[in-house]
Structures are given as structure tokens and as C-alpha cells.
């Protein structure tokens, strides 16, 4: 393999480093300090090709006394690796590669790695969730102590929700990603990966997301898969639990502090419901949006709808008639674009007209979680049953309010 | 006027209070302690009608030395009032009524009140923003020291954005609402209103939202209108500044602590741009959403689109062709459903294909703000100019990153 080292002038300064793959006439350099810089306007002063010696990674040996963890890769920043020496983007995602990158992992568990997909997280689709759920199900049946799924961060919370509904798991199923790739000094890949391995061995029996809890390298949060959301485009602590506390904190030395009620290891029997209805729409309401949008989807065969209404769960009053018509053969769930808080009926407003028209309130579910829940319900149950089940807390996605006392607030 | 006092049995307990208006067979009682309770299942034990003496509110006198503030009501919880004695929902929204409710206001400024609309906030529409902007413009021309707009909280941040773009104001234009109506002991109406009056008199020259800053009755935040969002369905501190600090804190005694850079009183000349293009769509992307949604709107004459992409601003790669076709005669802005953080192009992903296809990055703009900005741009400028202006910071809606150094993070 050959690499290329270049010296350029850009923005009035000199930069020198390994040229990384790029496009559109942009040049991207990996500087010697590990940082990347990119420029459209630049002048090459000097360049030199060099031969990169092939590195043979040592085989990973199983260590006695360590438990087995399955690591399944679906792609994303955490799995992508730009070779520091060649500039090539490579990833075979073998156990050898992972352990060579993060040697601490070999002390924690015996890793069996598998590259299931290598897709950009924004290209995730319901059909991929089905394959992933089946693969995780098999791994659990094979007896792994826990499963780690590496995933791009963009849609990781959608995927975690999907697996939480499709799979009742007696062991930890841990989604993990990285906001900064492992070739950057500020990368969160290693600590996230180490913390997810510890979580995979823990007394957890549900689908979780493990990611940086703070902007420093302190510890990670273990988030409930159906209660987590990416709330920042770039920060390492972008993932936050919404309307439920993180399940716990996990440090890279293996210490875990549980915070909230969780499903425990072995609490639920392994079950797979590997069907999803893809034709479900999430619609965010805004002032001026007309209800034709419902008909657009309905005409195309959609029978599941999640509305992201305003405030406590509203849309314009002129939606009521259309909602009523569409709800006749569909499941319509109301959530809130506030994201935090609960959708609920109130005493003096149009909310009650929507309920009469057939809208079901999503309680404190995130819109993204409600979307996946409806996909899953319509994929596995008849409409009437789905309408009943959507109101019920199935895997921790709903926390009910305490009852009528709430009106005293 | 007649009221009705009832005693009921519900949930195995006895409740007594004034019956409030309700529907669907539900009974709602205002208890003597001021709280409301509602029940579907109840039994009336006793009821008694009574005559409510008419209350004549004292006229509000202008006080010398106090400055004049215009208060314009558009409806919402803060303007609605359930009469404690009769149970009737009433609001004339006169200065007398406001000052009788919140006597502190008479010490702060001379209020001139006007009921412009009385609509539910979820029924807010672009055409109402135009009327509101014109009315506020006139009030500023009439010489008021500041303008307070009372508004339902559901869509208050959309409306504040709309006025921020439509109106370059040399004085404070303060949106204020309440999460709990003034007939409830936990109401935030009074302190929000008092703090908004102080803000209307302050050294501010832009459109702001003033709401509870904490869950206690401490102080309010002054949020920049284009940088604020309702982030909780019911909490009193539901409004949060996103990607910019609150402009300041304001206490009910009139103390103001400025936090962030702001437009100052008199800094900008009064200008009105009272045109909006209503046909602009905000589309939240989710795994599985097909690009036909763009064509649906485009076929109906929409030429403005704001996409709420995932992460740094993504949609599935199979959107690129449709995006390119639609972008030919449209303005498409990419924002992020993360809400916090910045949309930006990156080195190794499909983001660059979207840019090539004609998508313009919304930087750190909120999706809701970007929607309004596009409505305003297409209402007032030709497409080419709108495409240039959407990237520019016009009223504080964009904070640019520092430049190429950012890639060093």
C-alpha cells in the first residue's frame, strides 16, 4: 500500500500531513498532531509518495475466565477508521482490529466481532432493523453474555427503539457510537466502546444506548433505548434520556452506578417479533400546515401516523375532520414537538375534539419512539389490538402519570 | 350573572366547589383552595345556584412619570380567565382588567391594552402574523416605550420569529405567555407579565420572549425571539434558548441582568416587511421517509422547504435526485432534528451530495426559525436573493462558527 505526504499553503499558512480521501477538489490533511484540516483553496508545495509496511495484527486469544460478548457492526463513525499512515478508509471490523485499536477490551471480555452492514446511519431503514434484530436474537440464543451493536449516531435512537420493541431480551443489548472518529484526538470511540462492553456484562435485561455523559472523558450514560434522543449535532454528550432518567452511569474501569428502574438480566424471556409495517408517517405540525398531508400518506396506503403536535398535543382545529376520516382505518398517535413532558387532554381546548376524532395520546413517548412503536404494532397485530396496545407501556416507553391527582398541579 | 356551587362524590371521595364550563359529560370543579379537578365518573350530591354581584373595576389612571407600554393580546392561557365566582370564561382584556388582576403593573408603566385576537395558539397562521406585525409597527410609531404581546405558549416561538423577521424594531417587542392559567395557584401569568413589562421598558431593541426561567417563582429569562423554543409541554420554565444564551434575566422588582449580545434600544430604524409566503413546508426526516413528500408539496406550489435532517443535517442518500429536481426552482434549507448544534458539511459523507443538489445549510438555526425565515424571504425577495440571504445572519438567527479552525476540534 502507498501513502502520500504533502505540504500545502492555505489561508496564508503552511500545513503538512498525510493526504486523506476527499472529493470536490477539497484537500484533507491528517496533521502530525492527529488533527484533520480541509481546504478548497490551497496550493501544493511538495508531495511525496511512500510505501506503507503492512501491519499484521496479532491474533486475539480467548482468555479463560472472561465472558463472551458479541459485537455487531452496522457502520458509522465508530466503525470507520482512516488509516493514519495511508490515508485509506478501512475497516474489516474483526476482533483483531477492534482489540488492536482498543487494547483495554481484551481485559474485559472475549469479543466475537461481525460486520453486518457498513452503511451511513442516515441510510438506516426499517428492513435493516429486521435483519439486525434477527442477528442479535441468534447471538443471544448462542449464549453470549451480552451484545454490543456499533452504529452511526444519526439514527441510533431510532434503531435502539426498533430493537427494544422487536426483541424481548434477557441480556444487555447495547448500542454504541462515536461522535468523533477514532483518528481524532478528541475521539469518544474508545471510552464509549469500553463502557459498552462493561454494560454488556452487567445486570441489565434490555436494549440500551451507551454514550459519553459529559463533554469530558469522565463516564458514559446507559440510556433506555426507547427514552433516548440525539440532542446535539456534534457534542460527544449529544445523547440524552428524555422523560426518564438514564438507567445508570458506567466508568471505563467497569464501575456501574444504577440510577433508574430497569429490566434486570434474566427478567424477561427471549422473544423475537420480527415484523414491521414500513408505511408509518411521522408528521411534525407547524402553523399553516394543512391536513392534506394526512391524505397524502393515507392515499399511499399508510395506516399508521404519529403527529408531532404543538404543546400538550395540538394541531390546528381545521384538522379535525380529516383526522376523523383518516382515523377510521388508521392508528393516529399524538406526541409533542416540545419533546419533554406529556401529551394529555385538557379541560378547555380542541384537544378533546382530536380525541373524539380518534387520535390516541402518546403520553410521554418521544415522537421517534412512537413512530417505531406504531411500525411494530401494525406489523404484528390487528388494528384494533394495535390501538389498545399503543396506550400501554410495553418495554418502558411510557411512564404513566399518577392519576387524577395530577390535575391538582 | 349566576354561578353554581356543587358537592359531588368521585373516586370514593367528596369534592365541593364552583362548577366550571366543560364538555363530554366531564365535570370540572374549582375547589375552594383554587385548584381544579375534573371527573367523568361522579355523582352529584348537592347543587346550589347563586347570584354573583357584578364587579365594577376601578378605572386605571395614567400616572405621571411612568412610561407607556402597549399590551396586545392574541389569546392563550395568559389572556383567558375563568371567573372564580361564576365559572364563566371571560376576558375583555381591558387595561382595567389586567391591572385589577396584576396590580403591580400599575406601578411599572401606563398600560394601553388591546384585544387583537382571541385564538388558541395552535390555530395561529401566517396571515395572523401579518396583522400582528402591522399592529405592533403602528404602536411603535405611536411612540410606545415598548410593546408586550400576550400569546398562547404552543406556537409563541413561531410567532416571535415571524415578528423578528417582519419588523426591525428600535424598542422591545416582548412576547409573553403562561403555562398555567391565572385562576390556578401555581400560575405563572403574573410574574411573566410583570417581567415582560419591565423588559418592555428596558434597553432592548429586538423581539424577545419573556417566560419563567426556573420551576420556582424566581425570575424570568429574556430569550431572543429567533433562538427560543418550547421544550416542555407543561413546565413553567418550558421555554429555552437554543444555540444562544438567553439575552438576560429579569426579576419582578425590575432588576435586569444582561447575559448575551443583543440589539439595543434605538440601534435599528423601525421597518416593516409585511409579506410572508405561506407555502413553505417543514419536513422532519425519519428512517423510511421517501422523497415523494417533497414532490407532494412542490406539486401544490410550494417553493420553500426546511428539512429537519438527522445529525449534522442528513437524509437518506436516495433523496438526492429528488432534492436536486425540486431545488431547481425552490429554496431548500437543511436543519437538524437534534435542535442543538450546527448543521455543517463534513469530509466523508453524503452531506456534500445534498449541497451539490442545491440544499443550503441552516447553520445553527432552529428548524422552526428557518421555516419562518424562508416564509419571510420568499414573501419579500426573488428566489436568487432569498438563496443568498438565507445564509446570512439577519436578525440574530445565525451565529457563525469561527471558520476553518473549527475542524481542529
Amino acid at each position: 500500500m502507498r501513502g502520500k505526504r504533502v505540504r500545502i499553503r492555505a489561508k496564508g499558512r503552511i500545513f503538512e500531513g498525510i493526504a486523506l480521501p476527499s472529493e470536490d477538489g477539497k484537500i484533507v490533511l491528517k496533521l502530525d498532531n492527529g488533527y484533520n484540516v480541509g481546504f478548497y483553496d490551497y496550493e501544493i508545495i511538495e508531495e511525496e509518495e511512500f510505501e506503507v509496511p503492512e501491519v499484521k495484527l496479532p491474533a486475539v486469544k480467548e482468555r479463560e475466565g472472561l465472558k463472551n460478548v458479541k459485537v455487531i457492526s452496522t457502520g458509522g463513525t465508530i466503525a470507520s477508521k482512516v488509516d493514519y499512515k495511508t490515508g485509506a478508509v478501512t475497516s474489516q471490523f474483526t476482533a483483531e482490529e477492534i482489540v488492536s485499536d482498543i487494547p483495554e477490551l481484551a481485559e474485559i471480555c472475549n469479543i466475537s466481532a461481525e460486520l453486518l452492514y457498513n452503511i451511513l446511519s442516515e441510510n438506516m431503514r426499517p428492513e435493516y432493523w429486521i435483519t439486525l434484530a434477527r442477528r442479535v436474537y441468534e447471538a443471544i440464543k448462542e449464549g453470549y453474555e451480552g451484545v454490543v451493536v456499533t452504529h452511526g449516531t444519526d439514527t441510533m435512537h431510532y434503531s435502539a427503539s426498533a430493537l427494544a420493541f422487536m426483541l424481548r431480551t434477557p441480556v444487555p443489548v447495547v448500542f454504541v457510537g462515536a461522535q468523533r472518529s477514532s483518528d481524532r484526538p478528541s475521539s469518544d470511540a474508545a471510552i464509549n466502546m469500553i463502557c459498552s462492553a462493561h454494560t454488556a456484562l452487567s445486570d441489565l435485561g434490555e436494549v440500551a444506548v451507551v454514550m459519553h455523559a459529559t463533554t469530558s472523558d469522565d463516564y458514559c450514560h446507559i440510556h433506555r433505548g426507547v427514552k433516548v434522543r440525539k440532542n446535539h449535532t456534534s457534542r460527544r454528550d449529544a445523547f440524552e434520556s428524555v422523560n426518564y432518567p438514564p438507567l445508570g452511569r458506567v466508568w471505563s474501569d467497569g464501575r456501574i452506578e444504577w440510577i433508574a428502574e430497569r429490566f434486570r438480566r434474566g427478567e424477561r424471556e427471549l422473544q423475537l417479533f420480527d415484523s414491521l409495517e414500513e408505511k408509518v408517517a411521522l408528521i411534525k405540525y407547524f402553523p399553516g400546515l394543512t391536513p392534506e398531508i394526512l391524505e397524502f400518506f393515507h392515499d399511499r396506503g399508510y395506516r399508521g401516523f404519529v403527529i408531532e403536535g404543538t404543546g400538550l398535543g395540538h394541531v390546528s382545529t381545521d384538522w379535525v375532520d380529516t383526522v376523523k376520516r383518516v382515523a377510521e382505518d388508521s392508528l393516529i398517535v399524538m406526541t409533542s414537538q416540545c419533546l419533554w413532558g406529556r401529551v394529555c387532554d385538557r379541560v378547555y381546548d380542541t384537544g378533546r375534539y382530536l380525541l373524539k376524532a380518534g387520535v390516541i395520546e402518546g403520553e410521554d413517548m418521544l415522537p421517534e419512539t412512537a413512530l417505531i412503536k406504531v411500525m411494530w404494532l401494525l406489523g404484528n397485530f390487528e388494528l384494533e389490538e394495535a390501538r389498545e396496545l399503543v396506550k400501554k407501556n410495553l418495554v418502558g416507553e411510557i411512564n404513566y402519570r399518577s392519576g387524577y391527582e395530577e390535575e391538582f398541579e
Side-chain angles (χ1 to χ4, degrees), chain A:
Chain A
M1 264 197 297
R2 299 189 65 78
K4 190 158 73 173
R5 190 172 181 84
V6 292
R7 237 168 107 79
I8 62 165
R9 188 191 317 274
K11 307 234 178 200
R13 290 172 56 188
I14 303 290
F15 296 90
E16 182 175 330
I18 309 287
L20 301 185
S22 68
E23 45 180 48
D24 290 346
K26 188 176 187 172
I27 193 164
V28 180
L29 297 187
K30 160 75 65 190
L31 306 182
D32 292 340
N33 61 12
Y35 287 102
N36 298 347
V37 282
F39 303 101
Y40 285 99
D41 248 2
Y42 64 94
E43 175 198 346
I44 293 189
I45 302 173
E46 209 181 315
E47 60 181 18
E48 183 191 1
E49 290 212 352
F50 61 94
E51 186 65 29
V52 184
E54 207 179 315
V55 181
K56 180 107 182 94
L57 296 177
V60 177
K61 283 197 202 111
E62 282 211 5
R63 301 201 192 183
E64 256 183 79
L66 289 189
K67 293 184 165 145
N68 299 321
V69 168
K70 183 85 184 180
V71 181
I72 299 174
S73 175
T74 64
T77 300
I78 194 161
S80 76
K81 210 172 59 153
V82 177
D83 192 303
Y84 192 176
K85 297 178 199 69
T86 63
V89 180
T90 57
S91 181
Q92 305 306 314
F93 208 75
T94 60
E96 283 72 20
E97 207 177 270
I98 298 170
V99 169
S100 140
D101 276 359
I102 312 171
E104 296 93 328
L105 286 175
E107 315 288 328
I108 301 169
C109 55
N110 290 318
I111 283 181
S112 161
E114 179 181 335
L115 182 67
L116 183 62
Y117 303 122
N118 197 359
I119 59 166
L120 295 165
S121 156
E122 66 263 29
N123 289 333
M124 187 48 74
R125 289 212 306 259
E127 60 180 275
Y128 297 149
W129 292 330
I130 293 173
T131 314
L132 177 61
R134 288 180 183 152
R135 191 60 205 96
V136 174
Y137 174 79
E138 282 160 26
I140 297 170
K141 277 216 301 194
E142 288 162 24
Y144 286 96
E145 192 74 7
V147 180
V148 172
V149 179
T150 68
H151 200 288
T153 57
D154 265 32
T155 57
M156 185 159 65
H157 46 304
Y158 291 94
S159 297
S161 266
L163 260 73
F165 286 108
M166 298 174 78
L167 205 65
R168 300 305 139 84
T169 174
V171 306
V173 175
V174 185
F175 280 77
V176 65
Q179 288 278 81
R180 316 267 165 86
S181 58
S182 57
D183 62 306
R184 295 166 80 180
S186 64
S187 173
D188 48 341
I191 177 174
N192 289 352
M193 197 67 201
I194 291 166
C195 289
S196 70
H198 287 305
T199 308
L201 299 173
S202 75
D203 178 36
L204 185 71
E206 61 179 285
V207 178
V209 166
V210 168
M211 289 287 286
H212 256 61
T214 66
T215 50
S216 66
D217 278 338
D218 248 16
Y219 59 90
C220 288
H221 270 144
I222 305 169
H223 301 279
R224 171 162 279 175
V226 289
K227 283 293 189 189
V228 67
R229 192 170 191 284
K230 185 176 183 181
N231 281 338
H232 198 282
T233 58
S234 61
R235 278 169 63 144
R236 292 178 297 175
D237 58 346
F239 280 78
E240 288 182 317
S241 285
V242 175
N243 296 330
Y244 197 68
L247 299 177
R249 296 183 191 93
V250 50
W251 281 261
S252 43
D253 64 5
R255 193 157 40 103
I256 295 183
E257 216 176 80
W258 295 108
I259 298 171
E261 274 295 315
R262 66 189 191 279
F263 290 102
R264 306 296 185 93
R265 181 180 285 276
E267 186 177 333
R268 296 183 297 179
E269 295 260 336
L270 180 61
Q271 269 185 293
L272 177 69
F273 306 85
D274 58 352
S275 185
L276 289 173
E277 169 55 59
E278 296 206 11
K279 291 193 165 181
V280 178
L282 171 61
I283 299 167
K284 176 165 174 168
Y285 176 78
F286 56 87
L289 182 63
T290 61
E292 285 168 33
I293 185 77
L294 287 175
E295 283 161 347
F296 163 76
F297 284 112
H298 194 259
D299 289 350
R300 276 156 190 76
Y302 282 62
R303 295 296 177 264
F305 298 85
V306 173
I307 300 174
E308 248 188 52
T310 63
L312 290 160
H314 294 120
V315 290
S316 168
T317 311
D318 60 15
W319 276 50
V320 174
D321 288 345
T322 310
V323 164
K324 194 172 175 177
R325 212 161 44 243
V326 170
E328 274 170 23
D329 63 356
S330 304
L331 173 53
I332 308 185
V333 178
M334 179 63 77
T335 61
S336 174
Q337 59 191 252
C338 294
L339 304 175
W340 282 266
R342 181 185 304 281
V343 163
C344 58
D345 65 328
R346 290 110 287 149
V347 184
Y348 313 103
D349 64 23
T350 46
R352 296 210 57 78
Y353 293 105
L354 288 172
L355 294 191
K356 267 199 208 166
V359 167
I360 297 171
E361 295 182 331
E363 295 281 348
D364 68 335
M365 270 191 291
L366 279 167
E368 294 88 355
T369 300
L371 169 76
I372 306 291
K373 184 173 182 179
V374 173
M375 285 180 170
W376 180 79
L377 287 172
L378 295 181
N380 293 281
F381 302 92
E382 294 299 317
L383 181 59
E384 264 321 302
E385 204 172 350
R387 280 183 179 139
E388 284 310 308
L389 286 171
V390 77
K391 300 179 218 167
K392 297 218 158 68
N393 174 36
L394 304 177
V395 294
E397 76 279 15
I398 292 179
N399 306 294
Y400 298 108
R401 55 178 168 182
S402 49
Y404 74 95
E405 296 86 352
E406 185 108 349
E407 297 218 35
F408 283 96
E409 75 175 3

